[in-house]
Amino acid sequence: MSQPVQLVIHISTLPGRGSEQVAAFERLAPIVRAEDGCLQYDMHQVTGEPDRFVLIERWASKEALAAHDVTPHMIEADAASPAFRAGPAEVIELVAAPLA
């Protein structure tokens, strides 16, 4: 198996639609956290910006992340998100080990 994978994901919703992102995450989070290989799945709102969020994901391996991406609940969530998101999420994969 590969090394653990850590992602930081920037999400912006359409103006005034942040509560829809929160509701969608609240429904999805327990399902994702129960997936094999999920080490962390936490979303935070950006201070003072109710329509901007940062999702932090950690997966045991690239294989676990790949399996997550094709689950029925993620396919459904991805299909529903354009209704309230301002555009695609920005996904940033971090190097596993910190620099210092």
Side-chain angles (χ1 to χ4, degrees):
M1 277 202 146
S2 60
Q3 294 286 335
V5 178
Q6 185 164 332
L7 305 175
V8 175
I9 302 166
H10 296 199
I11 299 167
S12 293
T13 65
L14 296 166
R17 309 280 297 267
S19 62
E20 293 174 62
Q21 175 63 60
V22 172
F25 182 79
E26 287 173 342
R27 288 188 301 273
L28 191 61
I31 300 165
V32 173
R33 290 176 181 146
E35 290 180 42
D36 287 340
C38 181
L39 304 175
Q40 181 179 12
Y41 193 75
D42 297 317
M43 189 174 76
H44 301 266
Q45 190 170 41
V46 175
T47 301
E49 298 190 48
D51 297 323
R52 287 190 56 214
F53 304 88
V54 174
L55 175 62
I56 300 169
E57 296 186 33
R58 286 188 324 117
W59 294 90
S61 65
K62 287 190 180 288
E63 295 84 2
L65 175 59
H68 159 73
D69 286 339
V70 296
T71 58
H73 53 271
M74 287 310 301
I75 292 168
E76 181 181 328
D78 289 343
S81 67
F84 53 84
R85 286 198 182 166
E90 178 189 6
V91 179
I92 301 166
E93 183 174 342
L94 303 179
V95 174
L99 297 176

